Amino acid sequence: MKRKLIVFLVLAIALSTMAFAGGQQEAKSTEKGTTTISYAIWDRNQAPGMQAMIDRFEELNPDIKVSLEVSNWGEYWTKLEAATMGDVMPDVFWMHASRIRMYADNDKLMPVGDRVKTDPNMDYSNYPEGVVKIYEIDGVNYAIPKDFDTIGLCYNKKMFDVAGISYPDETWDWNKFLEAAKLLTDESKGVYGFAANASDQLGYYNFIYQNGGYVINAAKTKSGFDLPESIEAIQFYHDLIHKHHVSPTIEQMSDTKPGTMFASRKVAMYFVGSWLISGLAKNEVTREMADMAVLPRMVKSASIYNGLGNSIAASTEHPEEAWKFVKFLGTEEGNLIQGRSGAAIPAFKGTQEPWISCRTEFNVKVFVDMIDYGVPYPTSKTAPRWSSLQKETMIQILSGNVEVEEGCKKIAAEMNKLLVTE
Amino acid sequence: MGTAIKEQACIPKKMRIKIKRADISKWGWAYLMVAPTMIGLFILNIWPIIQTIYFSFCSSGDFGKYEWMGTDNYARMAADVTLWQSTSNTFLFTILSVPLGVCLSLLAAQLLNTSIKGKTIYRTIYFLPIVSAPAAIAMVWKWLYNCDFGLINYILSFFGIDGPGWNTDPGYAMISIAVVAIWSSIGYNMIILLAGLQNIPKTYYEAAEIDGANPFRKYFSITLPLLSPTLFFVIIISVMGALKQFDLVYMMTGFKNPVITQTRTLVHYFYTQAFDISDKGYGSTIIVFLFIIIMFVTWLQFKGQRKWVHYN
Amino acid sequence: MNFQTMNIDKMKEENINKILVHIVLIIGAATMLIPFIWMILTSLKSFHEATSVPLTIFPKTLKFENYSSVMEALPFMYLYFNTLIMIAARIVCALVFSSMAGYAFARIKFPGSKILFSLVLVQMMVPSQIFLIPQYLIVLKLGWLDSIPALVVPGFVSAFGTFLLMQFFKALPAELEEAGVIEGCSQWQIYGRIMLPLAKSSLIALGIFTALFAWKELMWPLIVNMSLNKLTLAAGLACLVGQYEDITDFSVLMAGAFIAIWPMLLIFVIFQKKFVEGIALTGTKG
């Protein structure tokens, strides 16, 4: 009995130390002659498309294996940041406009632009200039564009038919839009013309630029939230809820999201991002009733666009293999595979056709067309900080707790305070 | 408490010396036995806590670059309206959820400790929430609370009541979250209390019956005192859990909801600072602050236990 | 007044009491059950029906497709398996390590025990979110990311278990170990031979609580594991919500929620007597 217990104790302690000493040898055992690189992404809907690209790449390069690591958006950045601190970043990973500066400024990314310059097969002019520019920091480029997304107006055809209004098109300006929204609203039934989402990209940013304002100036030194044009745009957006009553309140929309309201026929129009279309195609109601149009214009046409990039870790142990992979992802062939998967609009010019044709449910061509007057998603080095403050204040403005002008000026002041530190 | 120590004091002097000699081997065993727990605890928990305390005196840059800045974060805390709002929300949540939760658990345990039929069925039903995943619970309740398609307001409409936005009305949002917290913790507390009740020897009651004590007296002079250690355990754990509340707010309120000012707890505020805004330094300060609160409240409870908790 | 009538009066009174108890218990039970029933009912409605006003209580036509579409979205077999393994491993760790430590803290007076035990209490007072990043880095350095062992790491030691078992061991009468000391047993033998068998019911209780805590863990699996088939049920469910970020299809979500929780509910219903009896036995002399 005594011996048994001692053996048990020894085992228990051994187990405890093993748990911490163990696994280390295990790290990345690779087959002979092949190198494994990791590719981290944050969108599960896009995982099949990415895997298809990987499969083709591995076919072309039998000596390189790529392991795909998928997370949710929130965890992705927590993990990437922790991995960067621990100096164990994935080899290749998606980059986003809001984070590029932080990673580039700390030299965590490989300056792939230098390689593009010397590579005869690569050329940045193959991609939308705006997306390329997102990842160009102080003249150095840190990513190859992967895709782009724009914002469009999604509307319920049935509700338009019933109200006897013609479908939205490129002739629509804010006045026409408001007029239609009023006709579509029946507040007693809880039905509204539009959902004024408390979202920057899917909401008020578009209005700010359409009205000739801006969120941040080109030099990234000053906030544009206190410009008269911006305040006017936010006022208009605010009035959709509180003056014209053509939109549910922010409170209602936090209970039932704008997309859900739209699908449950409580809202006739809302702004949708091109990456959300697969969800609309999946839902039994929206599949039948929804269609897409370009955003209404005011002083000018504008749609916030953004594009992801594929970046390589500066600390990667396999720079050549990683570069080969990223290069493939940026080729016409890679982009065509991506487009066929239907999840995102491929960045390579002229490869958007397969994406448009695999979404037959809706008129998705408008999303590709809007890139012509698209405005890149405004960002700067301290964007994670100021955008969080900005969102919070915007929610207070849109829910009517804070005056529009006062709130906008507060946002501008807070942004300027942070922008000085950049 | 401390029965072992008391017992030792009663042992005659001669024996005590003997025990002392045996102490060395005793200590050896003790250290061996706590070793796995303490080593694991140190690596997984204590070291991170020490780091957090250190970071609370630092400003944080990108990627774990910390710069010592003394008590600046603490000074900032004093002027941070959101922090004080979160603190009062946290206390409000604790006050809303713990007393009522514990009372209902006690009531359920008490009723199930009687000789009625169908106890097993009741017991099973009351436990169901605790074996459900929190994401599932939050999902269902959000759906029940929904002001357009929710069951609760639908039922209220039969009584001519136009129900509020349970999850979106500043006056109700915290209550709604507390209701879910109570609903999902009753079963858990009930198990422990029921065990405590069943451990009370029947002889005490028999004796009281002979004395002609009424049920009311029986309850306050036998049940409650004998249950008090268990009750104390339940309260300590519930209060700690309530002060650390995060999951429900995170899943039920969400970030775009304006009522977040009414429901944001300290841990939720820490989460936004540390993970959203990536200000780990200030985030750490918030946690240290919360930690001090919890320590103080727990200390108060341990101090107060002498007045009402009876160990035999 | 004769003996019989008194008895009948008493019986009447008892019956009324019992009915009252039942009424209270039934109200409570209904409150507990309604969310689950609503979950099941919603999971069988079409999106159109679930979001129609006025509401329908029972689905007009049963839409079982919600279940097949959620099964497509999540690899439930993997999720069940991972959850089970994670829970089992955490229970073993908690039982073995906490019972040893709990015993030592409760019954052996040794230098530093107070300080060490206060560290255990400190862990319980700190919100677990602050451990996320440090523990993530440990797992990452071990090369365990995206694996089943990674799921177990935070449950390697259980401060709660140590606390619980310490409370239990402390309540045991001192005579027990005196007998052992007189027989010349070492502390280890007292623990293994005398105390541990007595603690069986507490160990069962701790096992159940460990399982419940592990089952409810949400953030950690999402942070350490990337692949859907390396996640746990709770985390998988959270991913499902993320897949419906624009249009929340409550019917599908409810179907997912129900698939995720029914095995645990079933296990509980089958074994609930064992569970409760096990717990009820805890420290017969509380």
Side-chain angles (χ1 to χ4, degrees):
Chain A
M1 185 72 182
K2 189 179 176 184
R3 200 168 289 164
K4 247 193 212 164
L5 286 172
I6 288 176
V7 169
F8 171 66
L9 183 70
V10 169
L11 268 178
I13 292 173
L15 196 85
S16 67
T17 44
M18 221 167 62
F20 291 97
Q24 249 158 2
Q25 305 106 335
E26 204 196 333
K28 281 189 191 166
S29 62
T30 45
E31 285 171 51
K32 254 197 180 164
T34 66
T35 316
T36 303
I37 55 174
S38 48
Y39 183 32
I41 69 171
W42 65 68
D43 187 352
R44 286 184 198 282
N45 289 327
Q46 291 199 40
M50 295 300 113
Q51 192 58 52
M53 291 162 91
I54 291 171
D55 291 345
R56 178 69 186 135
F57 173 73
E58 287 178 345
E59 230 175 272
L60 295 170
N61 301 275
D63 54 335
I64 306 175
K65 292 260 166 295
V66 181
S67 70
L68 188 65
E69 297 175 351
V70 194
S71 321
N72 294 338
W73 164 265
E75 284 86 27
Y76 179 88
W77 296 108
T78 308
K79 286 198 282 208
L80 191 62
E81 204 182 322
T84 311
M85 275 152 62
D87 225 7
V88 276
M89 294 170 86
D91 300 300
V92 180
F93 47 90
W94 284 4
M95 200 19 87
H96 188 262
S98 64
R99 312 289 166 133
I100 175 70
R101 275 219 84 106
M102 184 169 127
Y103 283 86
D105 285 353
N106 289 286
D107 299 324
K108 300 296 180 192
L109 306 176
M110 181 196 277
V112 286
D114 299 349
R115 287 184 182 243
V116 171
K117 271 183 215 149
T118 56
D119 197 309
N121 299 322
M122 297 296 286
D123 190 349
Y124 271 125
S125 65
N126 287 330
Y127 313 100
E129 199 196 339
V131 183
V132 176
K133 280 273 180 288
I134 291 173
Y135 300 103
E136 190 185 303
I137 308 296
D138 305 328
V140 185
N141 219 307
Y142 290 97
I144 307 265
K146 173 196 161 289
D147 60 19
F148 68 84
D149 52 69
T150 52
I151 311 300
L153 179 68
C154 179
Y155 62 96
N156 185 320
K157 287 184 282 187
K158 274 241 173 86
M159 288 167 85
F160 271 74
D161 292 343
V162 170
I165 310 168
S166 56
Y167 297 153
D169 56 30
E170 56 286 346
T171 65
W172 273 36
D173 61 4
W174 287 7
N175 300 324
K176 225 165 167 191
F177 161 76
L178 179 61
E179 201 182 308
K182 278 180 178 165
L183 287 169
L184 290 158
T185 300
D186 182 353
E187 229 189 338
S188 64
K189 281 191 189 152
V191 174
Y192 297 91
F194 179 69
N197 195 346
S199 158
D200 49 8
Q201 199 180 358
L202 291 170
Y204 45 83
Y205 275 6
N206 296 288
F207 285 84
I208 290 178
Y209 284 95
Q210 284 158 6
N211 204 37
Y214 58 81
V215 173
I216 185 168
N217 65 353
K220 316 263 183 207
T221 53
K222 209 180 136 306
S223 166
F225 250 89
D226 50 357
L227 294 173
E229 294 87 354
S230 306
I231 295 175
E232 197 185 38
I234 301 287
Q235 185 72 50
F236 178 77
Y237 202 63
H238 167 274
D239 289 349
L240 291 174
I241 302 172
H242 296 283
K243 189 174 159 197
H244 307 299
H245 302 285
V246 295
S247 162
T249 61
I250 299 299
E251 285 82 4
Q252 279 170 291
M253 284 184 285
S254 51
D255 217 3
T256 315
K257 289 179 199 162
T260 316
M261 286 233 172
F262 177 80
S264 56
R265 298 142 331 262
K266 294 208 153 245
V267 152
M269 294 182 281
Y270 82 122
F271 284 6
V272 68
S274 53
W275 67 95
L276 297 170
I277 295 171
S278 55
L280 283 153
K282 217 160 60 182
N283 184 281
E284 56 182 63
V285 176
T286 51
R287 196 169 43 215
E288 303 299 324
M289 295 182 181
D291 210 345
M292 319 291 167
V294 297
L295 294 185
R297 47 171 299 160
M298 194 57 202
V299 179
K300 58 180 185 180
S301 293
S303 168
I304 300 292
Y305 80 88
N306 193 8
L308 309 185
N310 286 309
S311 282
I312 303 174
S315 60
T316 177
E317 284 169 20
H318 312 290
E320 294 313 315
E321 288 83 355
W323 168 242
K324 249 188 185 170
F325 179 56
V326 167
K327 217 168 88 177
F328 172 77
L329 294 175
T331 58
E332 191 172 359
E333 184 185 4
N335 275 274
L336 284 168
I337 298 174
Q338 182 181 200
R340 272 196 290 276
S341 74
I345 311 174
F348 199 95
K349 275 181 191 159
T351 60
Q352 287 83 23
E353 199 44 51
W355 181 78
I356 296 171
S357 57
C358 83
R359 281 276 164 251
T360 49
E361 299 92 343
F362 316 118
N363 175 26
V364 295
K365 195 170 167 293
V366 293
F367 288 95
V368 178
D369 295 345
M370 274 187 290
I371 192 85
D372 294 340
Y373 49 78
V375 179
Y377 181 75
T379 180
S380 81
K381 191 185 167 194
T382 51
R385 286 190 192 192
W386 58 250
S387 79
S388 176
L389 295 165
Q390 184 194 83
K391 273 178 196 156
E392 198 143 311
T393 312
M394 276 307 298
I395 285 171
Q396 295 306 326
I397 293 175
L398 294 177
S399 58
N401 296 337
V402 173
E403 285 291 317
V404 173
E405 197 175 336
E406 182 197 333
C408 287
K409 287 194 167 144
K410 189 180 157 210
I411 292 173
E414 272 169 350
M415 280 177 74
N416 288 333
K417 216 161 65 190
L418 279 162
L419 290 173
V420 171
T421 66
E422 285 185 7
Chain B
M1 265 208 169
T3 41
I5 302 161
K6 254 184 245 159
E7 294 295 336
Q8 253 185 23
C10 303
I11 298 165
K13 246 190 180 172
K14 265 186 197 168
M15 269 185 87
R16 223 193 287 173
I17 297 161
K18 254 192 197 168
I19 290 167
K20 258 194 185 160
R21 234 178 258 149
D23 274 353
I24 306 294
S25 98
K26 227 169 137 178
W27 293 352
W29 280 116
Y31 288 127
L32 265 181
M33 288 166 96
V34 298
T37 300
M38 293 319 295
I39 292 169
L41 202 65
F42 191 81
I43 295 171
L44 293 174
N45 305 119
I46 302 301
W47 182 240
I49 292 173
I50 295 170
Q51 277 182 314
T52 304
I53 294 173
Y54 172 72
F55 292 158
S56 75
F57 292 100
C58 296
S59 72
S60 57
D62 303 337
F63 308 116
K65 279 182 228 143
Y66 290 96
E67 210 174 299
W68 183 265
M69 53 188 262
T71 52
D72 285 14
N73 279 333
Y74 289 89
R76 178 179 157 195
M77 223 166 69
D80 186 350
V81 183
T82 318
L83 180 97
W84 297 110
Q85 175 92 47
S86 315
T87 312
S88 80
N89 289 343
T90 308
F91 278 111
L92 179 67
F93 174 78
T94 310
I95 292 164
L96 283 174
S97 66
V98 177
L100 190 59
V102 172
C103 286
L104 287 175
S105 313
L106 187 59
L107 177 70
Q110 203 75 56
L111 294 180
L112 288 178
N113 199 32
T114 51
S115 57
I116 52 155
K117 275 182 197 159
K119 260 197 290 193
T120 326
I121 297 170
Y122 288 125
R123 216 162 46 189
T124 313
I125 291 171
Y126 282 63
F127 293 166
L128 289 182
I130 57 169
V131 290
S132 311
I137 289 177
M139 237 183 243
V140 178
W141 277 96
K142 249 179 121 168
W143 186 227
L144 285 165
Y145 281 146
N146 189 294
C147 54
D148 294 308
F149 317 111
L151 181 66
I152 294 178
N153 280 355
Y154 179 65
I155 291 171
L156 286 179
S157 71
F158 285 118
F159 301 99
I161 302 168
D162 191 14
W166 297 101
N167 227 343
T168 54
D169 186 319
Y172 290 94
M174 194 51 130
I175 297 172
S176 304
I177 290 177
V179 166
V180 182
I182 293 171
W183 179 83
S184 50
S185 69
I186 282 186
Y188 169 79
N189 289 334
M190 194 186 69
I191 305 182
I192 306 174
L193 291 171
L194 192 58
L197 282 174
Q198 291 180 343
N199 284 338
I200 299 174
K202 293 269 181 306
T203 46
Y204 284 98
Y205 292 107
E206 283 156 16
E209 220 141 281
I210 291 164
D211 289 347
N214 61 7
F216 193 71
R217 251 204 78 183
K218 267 197 283 185
Y219 189 76
F220 282 96
S221 62
I222 301 175
T223 313
L224 267 189
L226 287 175
L227 191 64
S228 59
T230 319
L231 206 53
F232 179 64
F233 179 81
V234 166
I235 291 174
I236 284 271
I237 297 287
S238 306
V239 169
M240 265 189 211
L243 291 173
K244 293 193 289 185
Q245 175 56 36
F246 168 75
D247 285 13
L248 281 177
V249 178
Y250 179 72
M251 288 187 292
M252 299 214 29
T253 303
F255 289 94
K256 269 193 200 170
N257 196 334
V259 296
I260 186 72
T261 42
Q262 268 76 35
T263 61
R264 178 168 24 219
T265 59
L266 277 170
V267 181
H268 193 279
Y269 190 40
F270 151 77
Y271 188 86
T272 348
Q273 289 293 329
F275 292 100
D276 261 22
I277 305 184
S278 218
D279 190 349
K280 302 249 166 14
Y282 191 53
S284 303
T285 317
I286 298 169
I287 283 298
V288 172
F289 176 63
L290 173 64
F291 179 60
I292 292 169
I293 291 178
I294 295 180
M295 253 198 334
F296 179 69
V297 171
T298 312
W299 174 78
L300 270 187
Q301 284 174 287
F302 267 102
K303 226 178 155 221
Q305 76 162 336
R306 281 181 216 142
K307 295 209 176 99
W308 67 278
V309 182
H310 303 261
Y311 294 96
N312 47 328
Chain C
M1 198 190 286
N2 68 34
F3 196 72
Q4 244 182 332
T5 52
M6 215 178 91
N7 238 355
I8 289 167
D9 274 357
K10 212 177 168 190
M11 268 170 70
K12 257 191 194 161
E13 196 192 302
E14 248 172 38
N15 274 338
I16 293 169
N17 274 343
K18 272 186 187 170
I19 289 167
L20 278 176
V21 168
H22 274 295
I23 289 172
V24 175
L25 284 175
I26 285 170
I27 292 173
T31 319
M32 290 294 153
L33 275 180
I34 284 172
F36 292 101
I37 295 169
W38 194 237
M39 179 193 287
I40 296 169
L41 289 176
T42 306
S43 76
L44 292 167
K45 288 179 187 169
S46 67
F47 177 86
H48 192 282
E49 192 183 352
T51 56
S52 292
V53 180
L55 286 188
T56 50
I57 299 287
F58 295 100
K60 283 178 210 147
T61 49
L62 299 182
K63 196 184 172 208
F64 289 104
E65 286 92 334
N66 291 331
Y67 283 86
S68 50
S69 58
V70 80
M71 301 268 262
E72 263 167 45
L74 286 181
F76 274 102
M77 275 305 150
Y78 282 103
L79 299 184
Y80 288 144
F81 178 76
N82 298 341
T83 310
L84 197 73
I85 297 289
M86 175 192 69
I87 288 179
R90 285 192 180 197
I91 289 179
V92 171
C93 287
L95 293 191
V96 173
F97 299 143
S98 300
S99 67
M100 293 197 302
Y103 170 76
F105 280 127
R107 311 301 300 212
I108 308 175
K109 214 185 151 218
F110 61 96
S113 68
K114 273 206 171 155
I115 292 175
L116 290 181
F117 188 68
S118 67
L119 291 182
V120 173
L121 289 180
V122 162
Q123 195 269 7
M124 288 170 66
M125 288 182 217
V126 177
S128 59
Q129 284 80 8
I130 75 160
F131 305 130
L132 277 177
I133 290 184
Q135 292 181 351
Y136 172 79
L137 287 174
I138 291 172
V139 171
L140 188 125
K141 294 242 165 78
L142 290 171
W144 284 8
L145 280 187
D146 210 17
S147 71
I148 310 294
L151 296 174
V152 183
V153 169
F156 178 68
V157 291
S158 164
F160 173 80
T162 311
F163 182 49
L164 185 83
L165 292 178
M166 203 244 6
Q167 289 282 64
F168 166 77
F169 282 124
K170 220 155 90 176
L172 293 178
E175 299 91 50
L176 286 171
E177 98 205 283
E178 270 157 34
V181 170
I182 288 162
E183 273 177 36
C185 298
S186 70
Q187 284 299 325
W188 177 251
Q189 285 165 320
I190 296 174
Y191 158 74
R193 275 196 210 162
I194 303 170
M195 296 299 190
L196 211 50
L198 285 174
K200 204 176 140 197
S201 47
S202 296
L203 293 179
I204 293 175
L206 176 58
I208 293 167
F209 288 143
T210 309
L212 289 176
F213 288 152
W215 160 235
K216 300 202 164 200
E217 188 123 36
L218 184 67
M219 291 282 178
W220 176 252
L222 289 175
I223 295 262
V224 285
N225 286 359
M226 295 94 183
S227 323
L228 268 182
N229 53 18
K230 295 274 168 50
L231 288 179
T232 58
L233 280 167
L237 216 50
C239 284
L240 188 69
V241 180
Q243 285 183 16
Y244 290 89
E245 59 165 327
D246 184 35
I247 303 170
T248 321
D249 192 333
F250 278 100
S251 305
V252 175
L253 291 185
M254 294 298 144
F258 185 65
I259 301 180
I261 62 171
W262 77 261
M264 196 70 170
L265 295 185
L266 192 72
I267 291 174
F268 174 73
V269 169
I270 293 172
F271 291 107
Q272 72 98 11
K273 218 171 166 194
K274 269 233 160 70
F275 278 11
V276 178
E277 274 169 6
I279 295 161
L281 281 170
T282 315
T284 318
K285 292 274 171 293

